[in-house]
């Protein structure tokens, strides 16, 4: 069972790639539910220091909410089932899940960063679900995950249906420049 593989991988190496996490039809339904007029330039920082900086990240985002439609609601329910499984097996005490849709226009990237800036430590598990149904080698936008010594561990092609999970505090990561539009859903399980 794939959830067991996820649990084993989180305890042994701290990351896991789950191909075919969602079907093509589910991905199409999620993409159709994204409110285009709500997309905004992504910001960096925390609370009062939030600001735009296209030299660091160039994507557009919108936070997901179950009121956006049945497809988003089903995705959030599936992620909650994963949260409950991680809590039951790994005693993680994860309380909630926050998530947003990301669109990287051609040329956009996100410099290497950690998902718990300023030692906030609320984000425990990072997730990224890819929505790029026609991704081809050379399209760019790969995710590179590093270890604490700055060595690349994995480079992931943003192929539709693929989900990556990793310990938020353990792995700096970046999105390489994309040569075409790249879409994903980034999320975090929180304590």
């Amino acid at each position: 069972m794939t959830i067991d593989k996820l649990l084993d991988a989180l305890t042994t190496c701290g990351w896991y790639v789950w191909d075919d996490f969602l079907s093509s039809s589910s991905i199409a339904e999620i993409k159709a539910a994204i409110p285009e007029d709500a997309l905004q330039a992504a910001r960096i920082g925390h609370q009062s220091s939030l600001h735009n900086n296209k030299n660091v990240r160039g994507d557009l985002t919108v936070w997901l909410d179950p009121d956006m439609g049945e497809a988003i609601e089903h995705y959030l329910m599936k992620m909650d089932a994963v949260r409950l499984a991680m809590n039951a097996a790994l005693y993680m005490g994860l309380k909630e899940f926050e998530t947003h849709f990301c669109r990287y226009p051609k040329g956009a990237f996100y410099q290497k960063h950690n998902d718990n800036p300023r030692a906030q430590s609320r984000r425990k598990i990072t997730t990224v679900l890819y929505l790029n149904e026609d991704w081809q080698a050379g399209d760019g936008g790969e995710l590179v995950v590093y270890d604490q010594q700055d060595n690349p561990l994995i480079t992931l092609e943003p192929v539709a249906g693929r989900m990556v999970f990793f310990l938020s505090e353990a792995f700096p990561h970046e999105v390489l420049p994309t040569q075409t539009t790249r879409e994903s859903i980034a999320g975090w399980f929180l304590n």
Side-chain angles (χ1 to χ4, degrees):
M1 181 183 217
T2 306
I3 192 76
D4 294 330
K5 292 178 183 178
L6 166 65
L7 299 172
D8 288 344
L10 287 176
T11 58
T12 56
C13 65
W15 58 272
Y16 181 68
V17 177
W18 187 333
D19 282 324
D20 301 317
F21 184 79
L22 287 183
S23 68
S24 298
S25 60
S26 293
I27 288 167
E29 290 168 3
I30 287 172
K31 288 172 75 167
I34 299 299
E36 293 288 326
D37 59 346
L39 287 168
Q40 297 181 7
R43 300 182 295 168
I44 59 172
H46 182 70
Q47 293 180 346
S48 63
S49 70
L50 282 173
H51 64 282
N52 294 333
N53 186 336
K54 291 207 180 249
N55 293 321
V56 174
R57 82 183 280 188
D59 56 323
L60 304 170
T61 63
V62 61
W63 290 94
L64 298 185
D65 180 303
D67 293 337
M68 291 176 174
E70 195 173 316
I72 303 294
E73 185 177 10
H74 285 171
Y75 173 70
L76 295 173
M77 288 170 43
K78 183 168 184 165
M79 296 308 287
D80 198 54
V82 171
R83 180 187 67 82
L84 294 172
M86 288 189 292
N87 282 346
L90 305 178
Y91 308 102
M92 296 191 77
L94 302 170
K95 294 181 175 74
E96 57 186 306
F97 180 68
E98 65 179 9
T99 186
H100 62 69
F101 171 83
C102 309
R103 176 175 294 148
Y104 287 77
K106 183 177 179 178
F109 58 90
Y110 193 165
Q111 285 184 356
K112 191 184 327 171
H113 62 284
N114 183 292
D115 280 346
N116 274 315
R118 302 177 191 230
Q120 291 297 313
S121 291
R122 260 194 97 215
R123 293 175 171 175
K124 297 301 177 188
I125 306 287
T126 296
T127 66
V128 183
L129 172 67
Y130 297 107
L131 308 175
N132 310 293
E133 296 156 296
D134 299 319
W135 188 88
Q136 301 291 318
D139 283 350
E142 294 90 347
L143 176 75
V144 183
V145 179
Y146 297 87
D147 65 17
Q148 292 294 320
Q149 290 72 45
D150 211 30
N151 300 306
L153 289 175
I154 52 172
T155 300
L156 285 178
E157 297 85 8
V159 175
R162 175 175 286 163
M163 171 79 88
V164 60
F165 297 78
F166 57 89
L167 300 175
S168 300
E169 295 182 341
F171 300 104
H173 52 284
E174 69 178 321
V175 176
L176 299 179
T178 183
Q179 303 306 311
T180 187
T181 300
R182 174 198 186 270
E183 296 177 326
S184 60
I185 297 176
W188 301 271
F189 289 103
L190 311 174
N191 269 5

